[in-house]
Amino acid sequence: MQQLEDLVSSLREEGFRITPQRVAILEYLLRTDDHPSAEYIHQVVKKQYPMVSLSTVYKTLDLLKEKKLVGQIEVGGETRFDAHTDAHINLVCMNCGKIDDLDENSLNEIQSRAAKKSKYLILNANFELFGYCNDCKSKFN
Amino acid sequence: MQQLEDLVSSLREEGFRITPQRVAILEYLLRTDDHPSAEYIHQVVKKQYPMVSLSTVYKTLDLLKEKKLVGQIEVGGETRFDAHTDAHINLVCMNCGKIDDLDENSLNEIQSRAAKKSKYLILNANFELFGYCNDCKSKFN
DNA sequence: TATTAGTTGATAATGATTCCTAATTAATAA
DNA sequence: TTATTAATTAGGAATCATTATCAACTAATA
């Protein structure tokens, strides 16, 4: 897990301005295990900095995506974000919408095998399993 | 790969009506290797049956998803469909938007391992690798 | 051939995301 | 510390994929 201070100074060195809005958004993403949507990030950050707008959240997320500081997956018509950038499986609960991460070493191996077989230049990966989480699955038996 | 006739009669047996619109959409999905969007399916099917509406395409896709006759992945804010329902990797070209399938036996194994570790009840899976396809990657060297 | 419930087509509504622009402000140097 | 300025922000409008609505139509059945 990256440290806030390191990320902030590397962004500053690249010429980006360090605004309270950006710090608040990054800070929240680093401390949570959730996979929040832009809308949800906005709700959370507004509690601390009520002036933050939703469009700033979107623009900050674009920046962080470009810098590979957050990953994204598209689920149910919305994009969900995650500061856990190692190769992992996203477990998506189709009932409550929760997303859990699960580390899985073999993904890197599959990825390089797929790159070789397909001749694609691979830049990014998403592995999603959809189902019901441990809390919800009892409701569907 | 399933046969059109089999799918049609299984739908009829379940009480669904067999309309020319549904047959045209299913027929196209079965014969293509593309991963078309709803909009694109509409364009294609309209050539043969000009009366088919986009909302019928969406409704038919909902039906086929529910019956597990097509899979879907969300990419770049739109949903793309695929009648190849075995476990496989989707290779998404970030330049031209093409999606290729790549069979990979080990996905089933990963999936059951993940189910055990996470205690999720797994119903569906998507494995996506993003990058540049063989045709496009030369443009980014 | 008549009945009827499932399906369709057209359009309106929704919701996530992007676009636009004047006002604000972080970074820099005097 | 203050002035300068280009990057950033807030807020609202615009966009685009998808869903909802409902009157008209039709596949299945008897």
Side-chain angles (χ1 to χ4, degrees):
Chain A
M1 183 57 77
Q2 305 243 39
Q3 287 297 309
L4 180 62
E5 290 72 25
D6 299 341
L7 297 178
V8 163
S9 31
S10 81
L11 285 174
R12 181 172 317 177
E13 273 161 31
E14 293 188 71
F16 296 102
R17 289 195 186 162
I18 306 309
T19 64
Q21 291 91 332
R22 284 176 172 173
V23 174
I25 292 165
L26 191 47
E27 202 167 35
Y28 167 56
L29 285 171
L30 288 175
R31 77 164 180 265
T32 187
D33 280 334
D34 280 358
H35 292 64
S37 62
E39 178 63 40
Y40 189 81
I41 294 169
H42 184 221
Q43 297 305 324
V44 171
V45 171
K46 257 202 318 195
K47 284 179 195 158
Q48 205 179 350
Y49 299 94
M51 82 298 287
V52 175
S53 75
L54 182 56
S55 53
T56 294
V57 172
Y58 274 106
K59 261 171 290 190
T60 301
L61 289 170
D62 279 346
L63 173 64
L64 298 177
K65 278 190 283 182
E66 205 161 327
K67 296 291 146 204
K68 303 261 185 189
L69 302 180
V70 300
Q72 59 168 29
I73 67 173
E74 295 176 42
V75 165
E78 71 177 7
T79 305
R80 308 272 293 262
F81 300 90
D82 177 13
H84 178 189
T85 52
D86 300 340
H88 65 273
I89 296 173
N90 291 298
L91 294 151
V92 182
C93 180
M94 297 164 75
N95 183 239
C96 67
K98 179 175 64 171
I99 300 179
D100 285 317
D101 287 337
L102 186 69
D103 289 314
E104 173 60 64
N105 296 329
S106 49
L107 293 185
N108 278 316
E109 188 196 328
I110 288 182
Q111 186 163 331
S112 57
R113 199 156 64 224
K116 192 172 290 182
K117 277 214 278 188
S118 70
K119 303 205 169 71
Y120 269 63
L121 172 65
I122 304 296
L123 300 175
N124 226 318
N126 280 339
F127 296 92
E128 300 133 26
L129 296 177
F130 297 89
Y132 298 119
C133 71
N134 198 32
D135 294 336
C136 293
K137 69 183 176 189
S138 59
K139 301 172 194 154
F140 297 91
N141 282 344
Chain B
M1 181 60 77
Q2 303 242 42
Q3 288 296 309
L4 180 64
E5 291 72 24
D6 298 342
L7 298 179
V8 163
S9 31
S10 83
L11 286 174
R12 184 177 330 219
E13 273 161 31
E14 292 188 71
F16 296 104
R17 288 197 188 162
I18 306 309
T19 64
Q21 293 92 332
R22 284 176 173 172
V23 174
I25 292 165
L26 191 47
E27 201 167 33
Y28 167 57
L29 285 171
L30 287 175
R31 77 164 180 265
T32 188
D33 280 334
D34 281 357
H35 292 63
S37 62
E39 179 64 42
Y40 189 81
I41 294 169
H42 185 220
Q43 297 304 325
V44 171
V45 170
K46 256 204 315 198
K47 286 179 195 158
Q48 204 180 351
Y49 299 96
M51 82 296 287
V52 175
S53 75
L54 182 57
S55 52
T56 296
V57 172
Y58 274 106
K59 261 171 289 192
T60 300
L61 288 169
D62 279 347
L63 172 65
L64 298 178
K65 279 190 285 183
E66 204 161 328
K67 295 293 146 201
K68 303 262 187 186
L69 302 180
V70 300
Q72 59 167 28
I73 67 172
E74 295 176 41
V75 164
E78 70 177 9
T79 305
R80 308 272 293 263
F81 300 90
D82 177 13
H84 179 188
T85 52
D86 299 341
H88 66 273
I89 296 173
N90 292 297
L91 294 150
V92 182
C93 180
M94 296 163 76
N95 183 238
C96 68
K98 181 175 64 172
I99 300 179
D100 285 317
D101 286 338
L102 186 68
D103 288 316
E104 173 61 64
N105 295 330
S106 49
L107 293 185
N108 278 316
E109 191 197 325
I110 288 181
Q111 185 165 331
S112 57
R113 199 155 64 223
K116 194 171 290 180
K117 277 214 279 192
S118 70
K119 301 206 169 72
Y120 269 64
L121 172 64
I122 304 295
L123 299 175
N124 227 317
N126 280 338
F127 296 92
E128 301 133 25
L129 296 176
F130 296 89
Y132 297 119
C133 70
N134 197 32
D135 294 335
C136 292
K137 70 182 177 191
S138 59
K139 300 172 195 156
F140 297 90
N141 280 343

